[in-house]
Amino acid sequence: MTLARQWKTPKRAVMMAAALLASTSPLPVQAQAAAPDALTALRQRPPQDEVIYFLLPDRFANGDPSNDHGGYAPERLTSGFDPSDTDFYHGGDLAGVTERLDYIQGLGATAVWLAPIFKNKPVQTHGNYTGAAHHGYWITDFTAVDPHFGDEAAMRALVDAAHARGMKVYLDIVANHTADVIRYRECPDRPCEYRSRADYPYTRRGGLGGAAINAGFDGRDFSRLTRPDYAYSPYVPAGEEKAKVPAWLNDPIHYHNRGDSTFAGESSLDGDFAGLDDLLTEDPVVVQGMIDIFGGWIDKYGIDGYRIDTARHVNPAFWQAFIPAMLERARARGIPNFHIFGEVFDADPAVTARFTRVDAYPAVLDFPFQKTAVEVASGKAGTDALTRLFAADAVYAKGADTAAILPTFLGNHDMGRVGFFVKQTNPTADEAEILARVKLAHALMMFSRGVPTLYYGDEQGFAGAGGYGNSRQDMWAGQTAVYAAEHPIGGRQPAYSTEAPLYTAIAEMARIRAAEPALRRGRQVVRAAGDKPGLFALSRLDEPGGETLVLFNTSSAAVTAQVEVEPGSLRWQAVRGDCTTQASAPASYAVRIPPLDYLICKSAPQ
């Protein structure tokens, strides 16, 4: 979730899912859930074996138009439904995702990451901004599916259908904040500025000169924190006293109540995220409450992982309790490889790695990879930028082992799409060059260490105009003017086309990755790089002594070079492209890579 603007149908969904399985799945429809042995095999897969497909249910597929208004009155500012506005609901839902699982699997994805599907406050206003919760980050009921997306039956149908195909399901969760419900009496008609702990301590009402309250509260004994009006006078508006579920979320005592974060200093942890009610995650009630909530989703649905939103805006002690509890809950449910990764929106590995060392995160989204890979593939940076990036893997908690399970990605719903970034760097390039560079960026992601994470719609060539709403296109022919005006990379195709140039290119990469264990689990060694666009080479080494060499050319001219390899890698075979069959000498291999392309060469048994 970025700083900017962040502030369906049970019976029918099940019937639609069953019909889809009957018509497209090789498994018998009467066994919608995965067979026990197949489910066990799925859960034994380590995170680095996956290819993740991240989507916003609201923008991916509309399986049941009857829930477009979520059961609310059809007025735009009540239900939040307005398919012509980038920031409102467009009608996609869980039934639609279930309908399109074959499309996702055909791309080579093995796990589906859903943007939050919990019940949200449909419409919010903060300052001059009014929008709807199509993204799912304004949660009121943490225990229920948002009615715009379906219900418990639709959720269960999706998980069962995915597992039946051997696909995992990851949920996007939020523990930092809830929807904006709490108000402050001191600023009824404007956002409230942040009030610090030093100027507004917990033990004085409304500042240093105020009356003494919360006697003896030292930040640890929360039984002594009985009043929430130390910085502002928070209250819940009439009619919203029971807006949140579970019920403990309705009490302002469980929130920081200090005004809007400036995203600097202590406010980064204690401030409201653009008005969203910031949970007092130091409070044991909040800690246990969130463990109970999200442990319950594991118990109920047998999901396979959590992406955790706004990880950097929560105190480390919360994560140190929460994450081990989730992993234990998953193990008890028979899910030993439950994948947890946090959102730490920063391109510095020293920042992202801290969350694996201090906060107990097994992994974080690899924002440093995103920036570096896109700049290298765009021709903005020399290939040695990747060398520096991968050298920093040592700073993660378990070094290369942690780096191996970092979800790598090229763009997302907050920052924009890879196609936009490539176009921005190459404003005069023709369509063929843009397409080649976007393919190359995906190859860098698919064949280097980490867990490739595809952003829905990239495979259809969506690029958008960058930023928040412009990178959340409908997969279908919708009513949003800015989306309809776009010319996708590789040309416009029918909705959900499996013939789109980027779809077929990514699917080829995924097939190669699935067929070559070294490309998923092999130890990575950088072989060649330079300070300008051109050659980047890396080896993925497996235990028996095999070597898979991946060679990239980020320049518009062919590259010919000798690349160092393992001394025992004398004979070679092609996995993709034109690979010579013999090493030039022990430890030296001759390569020729076409412009803006890549090769994969594999050492052959001697």
Side-chain angles (χ1 to χ4, degrees), residues 141-231:
D141 186 343
F142 285 78
T143 69
V145 174
D146 191 284
H148 291 86
F149 300 150
D151 63 3
E152 178 180 332
M155 179 65 188
R156 197 171 299 281
L158 171 56
V159 174
D160 286 348
H163 284 171
R165 288 166 169 77
M167 301 174 72
K168 296 180 179 181
V169 177
Y170 297 162
L171 294 187
D172 200 323
I173 68 171
V174 185
N176 174 63
H177 57 262
T178 71
D180 183 12
V181 174
I182 296 171
R183 295 287 182 266
Y184 304 131
R185 298 193 186 281
E186 290 81 356
C187 36
D189 56 356
R190 59 180 173 80
C192 299
E193 65 182 14
Y194 184 77
R195 290 182 169 178
S196 71
R197 295 192 296 265
D199 292 330
Y200 294 84
Y202 288 104
T203 52
R204 293 291 184 273
R205 183 182 184 278
L208 294 170
I213 58 173
N214 300 321
F217 179 65
D218 59 0
R220 292 185 290 273
D221 183 359
F222 278 83
S223 68
R224 295 181 177 274
L225 185 68
T226 59
R227 292 184 58 162
D229 53 345
Y230 35 82

Side-chain angles (χ1 to χ4, degrees), residues 268-291:
S268 185
L269 292 177
D270 292 2
D272 294 342
F273 198 112
L276 299 171
D277 299 347
D278 194 70
L279 282 158
L280 186 63
T281 46
E282 302 94 320
D283 182 352
V285 171
V286 176
V287 176
Q288 189 58 50
M290 286 294 162
I291 288 172

Side-chain angles (χ1 to χ4, degrees), residues 6 59 134-135 413-414 456 468-473 483:
Q6 291 294 359
R59 303 300 166 88
H134 68 279
H135 43 67
H413 57 318
D414 289 334
Y456 89 98
Y468 183 79
N470 290 329
S471 59
R472 301 177 179 190
Q473 293 94 328
Y483 300 160

